[in-house]
Each structure stands twice: as C-alpha cells, then as structure tokens.
Amino acid sequence: MSAWGATVYPELPETVPQHIGPTGVDAWARKSVGSAFVPVFLYLGTTVLIAGAAFAVARTKPESELPSTARTGAVNRPATRASAARQARAFLVLNAALGTALLPLCAVQWRTTRTVEVGWWPLPVFLVLFVAGLVPLFLAARWDRLAKRRTTRWDAG
C-alpha cells in the first residue's frame, strides 16, 4: 500500500479526497503526505492495535493451565494454549483482510485526476473483505467455547 502511494504521489492533483459521501467525494484537502496517505496511516494504526491484541491473547494463560480453584469460566480467557494461538492467528488474518479491504479506498484516494464520482464498487468490496476477515475470528471464538464445554464436562465427570 505504501509503495503504491509513494509511486503515484508525485502525479496526484493539488487536492485529494478528504471525505467520500453517498454521492461521491464531498470534501477535498490540499495534497500533503498527511492527507494523501490517510489509508496507510489508518492501516498502520489498526495494525499496531490488532497485533497488540494478538500478542496479548497469545500470552494469556489459558484456563486449562489454571488451578481448578482459579477457573472462573471467563468468556474472554482462552480454554487451551492451542485455542489462544488460534485466536491470535485469527486476529492477524483480520488485520490482513482489513489491509486488503482498504485497497479500494486507496484507489479512490490516489486517482491522478480530480473527479467527484466514485464507482459503486469500493464500499461493497471493502465490506466483503472486512467481513471475510471476521470469519476466522468468529470461528476461533466458537471453537474456544466448544473446548471450554468439553473441559467443563471432563472436569465434572
């Protein structure tokens, strides 16, 4: 994304899209690194947050390693070490999907001609890619809940 932006930056018009509304671009900003690279900075910020979440999940002590007296059945604590790793990977997949989903915004942001019109496709493409990135996260959470049920039944039996 950064390489693409750096390649087209010299050819961008003097104003770049600042806001895209339902009727197309409805606000403009003077061309600067800050205004032209909004998608890159947005992705950088979310990457830091999501990578931090993945690291935190991977480092969390799972319920299976807690003494039975300390087990609370907390929804947000992974059931097993494998579950923690699965959830951390799912966060990283979400981040990759979000980066890919931002590419349509880049295509609008980095057009070399100043035009108000925005095609119909950027929003649906963004939404489909973002939702596709959420699927592994929901699956990892579901598998974790199933693992917790199995652990609880095993302890009870």
Side-chain angles (χ1 to χ4, degrees):
M1 192 184 307
S2 298
W4 178 19
T7 302
V8 299
Y9 183 78
E11 299 166 21
L12 293 177
E14 288 305 309
T15 57
V16 294
Q18 183 179 21
H19 184 264
I20 302 165
T23 59
V25 179
D26 55 13
W28 300 87
R30 295 201 47 77
K31 179 176 96 170
S32 68
V33 171
S35 62
F37 285 86
V38 167
V40 175
F41 297 139
L42 178 65
Y43 184 53
L44 179 63
T46 57
T47 296
V48 169
L49 290 174
I50 292 174
F55 179 77
V57 167
R59 300 280 300 163
T60 300
K61 189 175 230 178
E63 276 202 32
S64 63
E65 294 178 13
L66 293 175
S68 60
T69 56
R71 293 184 187 174
T72 62
V75 174
N76 56 355
R77 181 178 293 276
T80 63
R81 183 72 49 202
S83 182
R86 187 179 310 114
Q87 288 178 18
R89 281 191 306 271
F91 272 114
L92 297 177
V93 168
L94 171 62
N95 187 60
L98 182 60
T100 306
L102 285 172
L103 292 177
L105 176 60
C106 294
V108 173
Q109 185 78 10
W110 297 333
R111 295 182 292 189
T112 55
T113 57
R114 187 178 194 271
T115 179
V116 173
E117 291 83 27
V118 175
W120 62 269
W121 63 273
L123 181 60
V125 170
F126 173 85
L127 291 174
V128 165
L129 291 170
F130 181 69
V131 169
L134 289 173
V135 169
L137 198 57
F138 287 123
L139 290 175
R142 178 71 178 143
W143 287 330
D144 186 56
R145 277 189 226 113
L146 291 173
K148 282 184 181 183
R149 281 192 199 137
R150 276 186 248 118
T151 304
T152 303
R153 286 185 195 146
W154 182 261
D155 290 342

